[in-house]
Amino acid sequence: MAIDIRPITADEIPAFRKVINRAFGGDAKNDDESVQRFKEQVDLDRTYAAFEDGNVVATAATFSFEMSLPGGAMTPMGGLTMVSVVPTHRRRGLMSRLMTAHFEDCIGRGEVVGGLWASESSIYGRYGYGNACPVVKVNFDSSKAGVPPAPDTTRIVDISEAKDAMKSIYAQVLPKRPGQLARSEVWWEHRHFRDAPEWRDGATERRYVVAYRDGDPVGYTTFRQKSKWDDGMPGGSIVVGEVMGIDTEARLSLWSLVSSVDLFPNVEAWDVPIDWELPYQVDNPRAIKRLIGDGQYVRVLDVPGALTARGYQSEDSIVISVDDPQGFTGGVYRFHASPDGSEVVEVDEEPEVAVSITTLGQLYLGATGAGSLARAGKIRGEEDAVRRFSRLLLSDPAPWCPEVY
Ligand SMILES: CC(C)(COP(=O)(O)OP(=O)(O)OC[C@H]1O[C@@H](n2cnc3c(N)ncnc32)[C@H](O)[C@@H]1OP(=O)(O)O)[C@@H](O)C(=O)NCCC(=O)NCCS
């Protein structure tokens, strides 16, 4: 039977949600409130559903994001989400058809990059996505780590007081680190202020803490508490949502607060930056356990557009070849970059380094040294050219995406 792919109408939201929720092991409530929340967050023109005989058999959607880049500029980015195929129709190429619809839509809107978070790291490399923002999951026993005291004043506040402070702090930190997403009012409300009981995983409601300096908010954190007793001894956990601060003192103040809650000696966070500074600040860094994973992936859709959108900390000129098997943006380019700007032009020259579009996605935000990828066989080129390419692209601070979509 023929399968058509098209955006959904408002009436089809419940059927679309049912397929997504089942794929991820949940049950879509589809009450009026849930459907309304979906409508507010998702642009129906950017949904893609596969219909067979009137039934939804596969889903995907794109969020219209703005992502921070090295140097502080923002770029529009199509954030792919809600990719699912019903088990009866798997491995027949439906996801690939949805991906094509998504890419054509992004390119039509002039988005030079796309992003996503992957349920499994083996899926999206074939479509040109590279892991651009590593995530680090951490846990530590605060009674052993020796976190220094808070330089700023911290206060546990009600959500009503937290909201404005969080938005203003986030606006300040957004351009300072690549890979972060601008948050609309709707996004704040649904993703960061809503506190659905099903998200708590046995923990408390979300707590909000704001750090103040001279009376002004300089940082915030959110966390939940999970109570536990081990043979009468307190063994509870603080489950950190996110820690955002305008500078290192503000962040230290918040980590210090979450590390000093009586009866809750275990501190856990699911996503801190790969260049997180706390292990360098504590007395006993070995107490901090870290597990590196893949966070936000990036797909470069327009090589000149993407490379000229971001900033650079050094100056060089290098000829690169980019292999894009899907045919969107491959070619040989002369790439000249400096702190004052960059230029990328297609040339007919011998490349000094050759990368796949997937590897370029991995390098784009500056998380990974090109040398390591060359040693892994992912980049071809003389050692010196690879080193120059690496130096151009690396970003300090490292990219980080503090939220899954
Ligand atoms: C992942 C999922 C969407 C794949 O859908 P699908 O329609 O079966 O995928 P396709 O048939 O289009 O597969 C395209 C290619 O990807 C490969 N592929 C698909 N799923 C894969 C997976 N989980 N791991 C590795 N490769 C995968 C296929 O083997 C195929 O490879 P080929 O081109 O070399 O033959 C589907 O299995 C699903 O709904 N999974 C549960 C929800 C989920 O994880 N969604 C992703 C959210 S980020």
Side-chain angles (χ1 to χ4, degrees):
M1 193 166 290
I3 295 183
D4 299 321
I5 293 185
R6 61 165 173 82
I8 57 167
T9 62
D11 292 345
E12 290 161 343
I13 292 174
F16 188 83
R17 292 187 75 242
K18 206 178 267 184
V19 171
I20 301 158
N21 277 265
R22 284 184 180 160
F24 290 97
D27 297 311
K29 277 201 228 139
N30 279 329
D31 50 90
D32 290 351
E33 211 184 311
S34 312
V35 171
Q36 182 58 28
R37 267 199 304 272
F38 182 95
K39 271 189 201 158
E40 287 174 17
Q41 290 178 76
V42 179
D43 175 359
L44 295 189
D45 288 346
R46 301 199 84 178
T47 56
Y48 323 95
F51 286 90
E52 183 186 56
D53 199 17
N55 297 313
V56 177
V57 291
T59 67
T62 313
F63 288 123
S64 304
F65 286 132
E66 294 267 325
M67 180 178 68
S68 59
L69 297 175
M74 303 292 296
T75 192
M77 180 184 76
L80 183 66
T81 185
M82 303 180 204
V83 178
S84 70
V85 173
V86 294
T88 49
H89 289 62
R90 68 192 283 280
R91 306 303 181 266
R92 298 188 198 169
L94 276 182
M95 173 175 62
S96 292
R97 288 182 61 191
L98 297 170
M99 297 301 295
T100 303
H102 159 73
F103 287 138
E104 285 172 355
D105 176 51
C106 292
I107 291 167
R109 290 167 189 259
E111 289 163 343
V112 294
V113 289
L116 60 77
W117 283 72
S119 60
E120 296 181 87
S121 59
S122 51
I123 302 179
Y124 292 100
R126 78 190 69 239
Y127 302 109
Y129 286 88
N131 171 28
C133 298
V135 289
V136 185
K137 188 175 165 191
V138 299
N139 70 78
F140 58 91
D141 178 341
S142 57
S143 68
K144 298 203 172 98
V147 178
D152 297 311
T153 305
T154 51
R155 275 182 31 220
I156 299 177
V157 297
D158 285 341
I159 183 168
S160 53
E161 185 177 343
K163 281 184 175 181
D164 283 349
M166 288 171 70
K167 289 186 212 165
S168 116
I169 290 154
Y170 191 76
Q172 293 173 68
V173 303
L174 179 60
K176 290 188 185 170
R177 190 183 274 284
Q180 303 183 110
L181 308 173
R183 296 176 182 172
S184 64
E185 287 294 322
V186 163
W187 195 261
W188 273 113
E189 285 300 328
H190 290 306
R191 300 289 177 131
H192 295 276
F193 299 145
R194 182 169 171 250
D195 187 11
E198 61 268 25
W199 296 347
R200 294 180 195 160
D201 190 25
T204 62
E205 305 176 333
R206 193 185 290 126
R207 318 278 193 230
Y208 298 88
V209 178
V210 176
Y212 294 90
R213 192 178 305 153
D214 303 325
D216 295 325
V218 288
Y220 71 83
T221 185
T222 61
F223 68 87
R224 301 179 193 279
Q225 286 163 270
K226 252 189 192 172
S227 190
K228 185 167 176 274
W229 293 87
D230 300 318
D231 297 330
M233 299 301 284
S237 296
I238 299 291
V239 183
V240 174
E242 62 183 13
V243 171
M244 294 287 173
I246 63 163
D247 55 24
T248 189
E249 286 80 12
R251 290 188 291 273
L252 177 59
S253 301
L254 296 158
W255 285 111
S256 182
L257 183 274
V258 297
S259 304
S260 57
V261 182
D262 288 330
L263 311 183
F264 294 84
N266 301 305
V267 178
E268 304 169 10
W270 70 277
D271 179 7
V272 300
I274 191 132
D275 57 355
W276 185 46
E277 68 263 28
L278 192 71
Y280 305 113
Q281 297 173 306
V282 299
D283 295 337
N284 185 8
R286 198 183 299 168
I288 299 188
K289 313 254 184 326
R290 283 167 279 182
L291 184 67
I292 300 178
D294 44 319
Q296 181 173 245
Y297 284 66
V298 165
R299 206 295 180 190
V300 173
L301 294 166
D302 172 348
V303 171
L307 287 177
T308 52
R310 57 156 282 182
Y312 299 90
Q313 291 165 345
S314 59
E315 177 158 11
D316 208 340
S317 184
I318 189 159
V319 179
I320 62 170
S321 121
V322 180
D323 178 31
D324 182 359
Q326 289 176 282
F328 297 126
T329 190
V332 179
Y333 302 94
R334 175 162 288 282
F335 166 38
H336 177 263
S338 80
D340 298 327
S342 57
E343 190 183 42
V344 178
V345 283
E346 204 152 4
V347 291
D348 186 11
E349 291 177 41
E350 201 51 41
E352 294 165 89
V353 293
V355 291
S356 68
I357 194 72
T358 303
T359 300
L360 187 63
Q362 183 157 10
L363 291 167
Y364 178 61
L365 294 176
T368 314
S372 134
L373 289 167
R375 291 189 289 281
K378 302 289 183 190
I379 301 180
R380 287 194 319 280
E382 296 292 332
E383 216 174 297
D384 180 58
V386 170
R387 194 175 302 119
R388 286 169 40 225
F389 190 46
S390 187
R391 204 177 297 136
L392 269 186
L393 291 179
L394 275 175
S395 167
D396 181 8
W400 176 52
C401 183
E403 59 193 320
V404 180
Y405 52 87

